[in-house]
Amino acid sequence: MLNTDLVVAATQAQYQGGVVEFTGITTDSRNVQPGQLFVALAGANFDGHNYCARAVELGAAGVLVSKDVELPQGIAVLKVADTLKGFQQIARAYRRQYTNLKVLAITGSNGKTSTKDLLAACLGAKYKVVKTQGNFNNEIGLPKTLLEIQPDTEMAVVEMGMRGLGQIAELCAIAEPDSGLITNVGETHMELLGSMENIGRAKGEIVVNLSREGFAILNGDNKYVMDAARHTQAQVVTFGLGEECDYRGTDLRTVGLDTIFTCTEKASGQQVQVRLQLIGEHNVYNALAAMAGAAVYGVPLEDSAKALATARLTGSRQEIVYTGTLTFINDAYNASPASMEAALKTMHEAKRAQGKGRTIAVLADMLELGAISQDAHRRVGRWAVENKVDYVLTYGEEAAQISAAIQEADGLTQTQHFADRLEAAAKLRAMVEPGDIILLKGSHSMQVDKMLEMFK
């Protein structure tokens, strides 16, 4: 139920009029559906208040605003001090209506979107599930996900991103999760947080306020993740490849572009073989996290294994794209040192499984690494040599260090640096041969994935 009574109670909005039932809520005036409440968010480069009239023309039954707007009679106008805060308060109140609903929140330096997709697939074997769409994991995207909950929804899987201390705590205050999952802690956001310990603290906020009835599902192989176990009263459940993990992966092998492994539940000794249509050890971690998260809510391991066999990830995250005889690994949504290393290992595995073809990595800048940026990019170059990449094309100011490290390593990997994406793309187009495996990887704003358009 979403109506003016709920909005007023949640936000203390100024409102005069009768009860109006809304069919939904939106922040995008271009996509208003009849009967919805339009929230006029304001940012540095836009102000939703300028589009209230347009929203009404498209059928909005009401608007949430922080300043006066002129609208036709009969439109519910609810006024608050801050429309973003009001939007979040509405989402929290809406979530609270469903007392039997369980909310499971996910964060981590790498793999949180992939794990979200896999966990939703596993939980879907038993429950009606709502999950974060795309990577809507911030202070606007999270409320949007919560407002997708329906009366028959049993589980909500919500992704939480952050760039600093306190931000995940703020998201948890909106979603009020029953359980939290941390995929890993790596060197993302080092520029702002300064140390791995601080990154771990920021990610750990997701489990701090969980109740004793909830679960803290943690990467047992990552010491910075396991630090969070000391700050929660929830039941701690671990996943990973280590012997002490509650849900452990063993016997990993690559078959074609699939990965097969065995998941063992420590408490029962039960084992199940899992086949993923994904490659790379990092995806085994993501799958183990999903299986652990589903198991604590009663999903049998066998059912999770069946769900994982057909699970798909959100686009641009290790997306395999075949164009003629070329195989692209499109992993260009974002980049960190850990995800770069994993992607290079994945390409090496793909070549070994395919048994032929050259490997070409197109690598661009990893952003927000601060003081460690030069060292991190040079490490990527050394990893490229270690994984026997045939050719590495780089572009971007920071990525020049990748090529420099490759040249200094004196290995078999050949490399060339370019001023921008267009120059690198032209070189790629000129050099590809039938059977090549091509990795596209870099921070999202570097737009490495746009190179695919040349080959489609």
Side-chain angles (χ1 to χ4, degrees), residues 23 37 40 44 52 57-58 67 82 120 128 203 209-210 240 283-284 290 292 310 314 359 377 388 413-414 419 421 427:
T23 59
L37 173 67
C52 286
E57 289 177 6
L58 292 175
K67 55 189 179 185
D82 183 330
K128 182 75 171 179
K203 300 296 185 184
N209 292 319
L210 298 178
N283 277 316
V284 174
T310 57
T314 297
T359 50
H377 284 84
K388 301 178 181 178
T413 301
Q414 298 182 47
R421 176 170 54 84
K427 176 63 176 179

Side-chain angles (χ1 to χ4, degrees), residues 285-449:
Y285 273 96
N286 296 340
L288 289 167
M291 296 181 80
V296 300
Y297 284 102
V299 179
L301 293 185
E302 297 92 338
D303 291 351
S304 285
K306 289 178 183 177
L308 291 172
T310 57
R312 294 288 186 271
L313 303 185
T314 297
S316 297
R317 287 170 174 82
Q318 203 182 321
E319 176 189 21
I320 305 297
V321 180
Y322 298 100
T323 302
T325 63
L326 303 177
T327 301
F328 284 88
I329 303 174
N330 182 19
D331 198 12
Y333 184 79
N334 224 327
S336 67
S339 68
M340 278 282 197
E341 182 180 20
L344 291 167
K345 287 181 178 179
T346 294
M347 184 165 63
H348 180 71
E349 285 293 313
K351 179 177 180 178
R352 187 176 64 82
Q354 185 169 291
K356 59 181 179 179
R358 305 177 304 171
T359 50
I360 304 172
V362 183
L363 308 178
D365 291 355
M366 300 179 291
L367 303 177
E368 298 181 1
L369 292 178
I372 72 162
S373 183
Q374 178 172 325
D375 175 67
H377 284 84
R378 293 183 69 82
R379 273 184 278 153
V380 172
R382 293 193 291 271
W383 290 330
V385 175
E386 290 171 10
N387 285 282
K388 301 178 181 178
V389 180
D390 293 310
Y391 298 91
V392 176
L393 310 181
T394 63
Y395 69 91
E397 183 176 349
E398 303 293 328
Q401 294 296 329
I402 299 174
S403 286
I406 292 171
Q407 291 168 350
E408 292 171 13
D410 195 27
L412 297 177
T413 301
Q414 298 182 47
T415 187
Q416 190 171 349
H417 183 72
F418 299 90
D420 55 37
R421 176 170 54 84
L422 294 178
E423 286 189 8
K427 176 63 176 179
L428 177 64
R429 184 63 183 264
M431 72 179 294
V432 290
E433 296 178 358
D436 284 347
I437 301 169
I438 304 157
L439 169 67
L440 305 176
K441 185 75 175 166
S443 285
H444 186 58
S445 62
M446 300 302 291
Q447 300 183 321
V448 192
D449 55 338

Side-chain angles (χ1 to χ4, degrees), residues 142-164:
L142 175 66
K144 287 182 178 179
T145 300
L146 295 175
L147 289 159
E148 292 295 320
I149 293 167
Q150 299 298 317
D152 62 347
T153 302
E154 298 169 292
M155 300 285 301
V157 181
V158 297
E159 182 182 334
M160 294 184 177
M162 66 90 204
R163 299 184 72 244

Side-chain angles (χ1 to χ4, degrees), residues 180-222:
L181 189 158
I182 307 177
T183 61
N184 49 53
V185 169
E187 294 172 317
T188 53
H189 310 307
M190 189 69 81
E191 183 177 26
L192 294 171
L193 288 163
S195 71
M196 293 286 283
E197 288 78 10
N198 280 344
I199 296 170
R201 282 175 54 206
K203 300 296 185 184
E205 291 169 5
I206 205 165
V207 301
V208 169
N209 292 319
L210 298 178
S211 73
R212 295 182 187 276
E213 290 72 40
F215 299 93
I217 304 155
L218 307 177
N219 184 332
D221 297 340
N222 187 302

Side-chain angles (χ1 to χ4, degrees), residues 250-312:
T250 56
D251 305 323
L252 283 63
R253 56 194 173 96
T254 303
V255 179
L257 292 181
D258 291 0
T259 300
I260 297 175
F261 68 95
T262 299
C263 174
T264 302
E265 185 179 61
K266 183 180 179 182
S268 67
Q270 180 186 1
Q271 294 187 329
V272 62
Q273 189 175 83
V274 182
R275 183 167 189 143
L276 297 172
Q277 294 186 34
L278 303 164
I279 54 178
E281 182 180 281
H282 60 295
N283 277 316
V284 174
Y285 273 96
N286 296 340
L288 289 167
M291 296 181 80
V296 300
Y297 284 102
V299 179
L301 293 185
E302 297 92 338
D303 291 351
S304 285
K306 289 178 183 177
L308 291 172
T310 57
R312 294 288 186 271

